[in-house]
Amino acid sequence: MRHRVGAFLRGETILIVATLLALISCFIVPPDWHYREYVHVSTIAQLICLMLVVCGLQRVGVFRIIGAKLLEHVDTARGLVLTFISLTFFSSMLITNDVALLTFVPFALAVLKMAKMEDRAILVCTLMTIGANTGSMLTPIGNAHNLYFKALTGMSTGHFLAVMGPYTAVSAAMLIAITCIVFRGRRLEGISGMDSKSIEHGVLAPDSTKPQPDEIHVTGYGAGYGGWRVIVYAITFIVCVLAVSDLIPLWVMCVVVFAVMMVCDRRSFRHADWGLPLTFIMFFIFIGNMRRVPEFAQLAQQCVGVHPLGVSILFSQVISNVPTSLLLAGFSNAYVPLIIGTNLGGLGTLIASMASLVTYKHFTKMYPNQKGKYLKEYTSFCALFVLVLFGLSCILE
């Protein structure tokens, strides 16, 4: 029991803090009829629906199969690393940065071991994490806080892409340049000549005597791309994107997603990360209450008004970019600088984006003696990206 409680406290730290803040604020502003206006229902609905569909796709192993297929055509160290970075960079635009890292970092670590490139694991994981964080900032569905800003402002998807496009493009160029400089074109060992099924089996189920992952339980190993489920999930995902883009009503998305998940894989409801929407709700309550405290509201508005973009980057380094988005958006209508700042703020410290902790946990689980080295290298590269992208914002904004 104590181990479960300890694991929950470690895994849901932000939810616990948000809940405590919400409870404290309830004593300052007692519950009344205005509470019903606090929660941004459309954001929560979109977040839950996307979360369920992506969880379904993840459980049938489709992302890992795609990764294995791509590696069939790679025969150099440089090509391998560029493939890993591309997987997190582009997939995060659609399935969020944390899901991209949760899916591909363990996959990459296993393949690096097979390819006898464990000495490069820290740099590869660092670049994959930066790739996920910079790729996800391009789209409204790439980050939870982007989804919130999109729903809050009513900004069109095209406008959002135009705002974040330059930063994502420069980040991609930097990732390619670093990879080409550091990694040479030497031929790979261990996985060269292997087909996708061999790579996937070596990563997914190397030992048949051990407990098998959910992908195998759901579809059976060797079931291709998950059969009909993947087609259904893909169509459902398109429905979610249409709803986020305000092309179909929100209720249609909710009905379709819940019906599909009930039929295709009810276990997705249990495996989805419910802590994220609950965290949003707690922060909505806290911010809603504190906006009704004149002294606090005035102080917060003055703080954000100095330099919304810079303030959001700094706040993100301490409390992470999702809480920063919810907090600062409650006291400023400078939404474009806040969108840019909270996305750039996801780079920097390890907690600047909670998705970065996914990589750290997986890496340190495999290499527990290299925690300090990983933190040093990760922070150094993130600082470089933040400085360059902040300089770009000074030019563009």
Side-chain angles (χ1 to χ4, degrees):
M1 183 64 180
R2 283 187 299 174
H3 292 296
R4 288 185 179 180
V5 172
F8 176 79
L9 292 175
R10 289 191 297 271
E12 299 292 350
T13 304
I14 290 188
L15 172 59
I16 293 168
V17 171
T19 303
L20 289 173
L21 290 173
L23 289 173
I24 292 170
S25 71
C26 289
F27 286 100
I28 299 172
V29 181
D32 58 21
W33 189 249
H34 291 289
Y35 270 53
R36 66 188 180 90
E37 301 171 356
Y38 291 168
V39 178
H40 209 273
V41 177
S42 62
T43 300
I44 301 299
Q46 292 168 4
L47 189 62
I48 290 174
C49 288
L50 282 165
M51 181 178 69
L52 288 170
V53 177
V54 170
C55 181
L57 284 166
Q58 192 178 23
R59 277 170 50 75
V60 298
V62 66
F63 305 125
R64 198 159 6 207
I65 295 171
I66 292 171
K69 281 285 185 184
L70 290 174
L71 290 180
E72 272 187 337
H73 310 287
V74 173
D75 56 7
T76 65
R78 180 184 294 161
L80 180 67
V81 177
L82 284 174
T83 301
F84 285 146
I85 296 171
S86 298
L87 283 170
T88 57
F89 183 81
F90 290 107
S91 67
S92 66
M93 297 177 185
L94 299 175
I95 63 174
T96 73
N97 50 356
D98 52 344
V99 174
L101 293 171
L102 189 63
T103 302
F104 291 117
V105 166
F107 176 79
L109 287 171
V111 172
L112 288 172
K113 189 174 184 178
M114 293 163 63
K116 298 178 174 57
M117 287 180 59
E118 289 182 278
D119 59 318
R120 294 293 195 175
I122 291 178
L123 181 56
V124 173
C125 286
T126 293
L127 295 178
M128 287 179 71
T129 306
I130 293 173
N133 287 331
T134 54
S136 64
M137 68 186 182
L138 176 65
T139 65
I141 60 175
N143 277 316
H145 62 277
N146 283 354
L147 199 64
Y148 168 62
F149 277 123
K150 171 72 168 60
L152 178 67
T153 63
M155 183 184 294
S156 68
T157 301
H159 185 193
F160 196 101
L161 295 175
V163 168
M164 294 309 305
Y167 303 97
T168 300
V170 170
S171 299
M174 291 177 67
L175 288 167
I176 293 171
I178 292 169
T179 304
C180 291
I181 292 170
V182 175
F183 294 93
R184 303 300 176 184
R186 72 172 180 82
R187 295 193 64 81
L188 289 173
E189 302 176 41
I191 67 169
S192 182
M194 293 177 66
D195 60 18
S196 62
K197 288 186 178 180
S198 299
I199 294 172
E200 188 194 355
H201 190 275
V203 172
L204 184 63
D207 188 347
S208 60
T209 63
K210 293 183 179 180
Q212 304 295 287
D214 279 328
E215 289 93 329
I216 294 177
H217 290 311
V218 174
T219 62
Y221 186 76
Y225 288 89
W228 59 272
R229 284 183 178 85
V230 173
I231 298 173
V232 174
Y233 288 156
I235 294 171
T236 309
F237 184 81
I238 292 171
V239 170
C240 291
V241 173
L242 292 175
V244 171
S245 301
D246 301 319
L247 297 176
I248 63 172
L250 195 67
W251 67 267
V252 172
M253 174 190 68
C254 295
V255 171
V256 170
V257 169
F258 277 81
V260 165
M261 301 317 297
M262 287 296 292
V263 172
C264 293
D265 183 12
R266 295 183 183 181
R267 280 204 228 173
S268 293
F269 288 96
R270 188 176 68 192
H271 288 272
D273 180 15
W274 293 103
L276 184 58
L278 286 173
T279 299
F280 268 68
I281 291 171
M282 293 301 108
F283 270 115
F284 282 141
I285 294 172
F286 169 70
I287 295 164
N289 281 333
M290 298 314 293
R291 288 180 71 177
R292 295 169 63 183
V293 179
E295 295 80 8
F296 183 90
Q298 185 178 5
L299 180 63
Q301 287 167 359
Q302 289 175 350
C303 178
V304 182
V306 174
H307 195 295
L309 196 154
V311 170
S312 56
I313 291 177
L314 291 175
F315 270 49
S316 296
Q317 306 311 306
V318 181
I319 64 172
S320 184
N321 55 0
V322 170
T324 296
S325 302
L326 300 177
L327 179 63
L328 300 187
F331 302 100
S332 173
N333 58 3
Y335 296 123
V336 169
L338 289 179
I339 290 171
I340 297 170
T342 51
N343 277 295
L344 301 190
L347 302 165
T349 63
L350 190 64
I351 65 167
S353 170
M354 297 307 292
S356 303
L357 289 173
V358 172
T359 304
Y360 179 74
K361 288 177 181 177
H362 282 290
F363 179 85
T364 54
K365 183 178 180 181
M366 186 173 287
Y367 304 104
N369 297 324
Q370 298 192 46
K371 292 180 180 179
K373 190 176 179 182
Y374 177 87
L375 286 172
K376 182 180 179 181
E377 196 156 321
Y378 174 78
T379 305
S380 298
F381 275 97
C382 281
L384 171 64
F385 274 76
V386 169
L387 288 172
V388 172
L389 296 178
F390 181 70
L392 179 62
S393 73
C394 293
I395 297 170
L396 296 180
E397 303 301 322

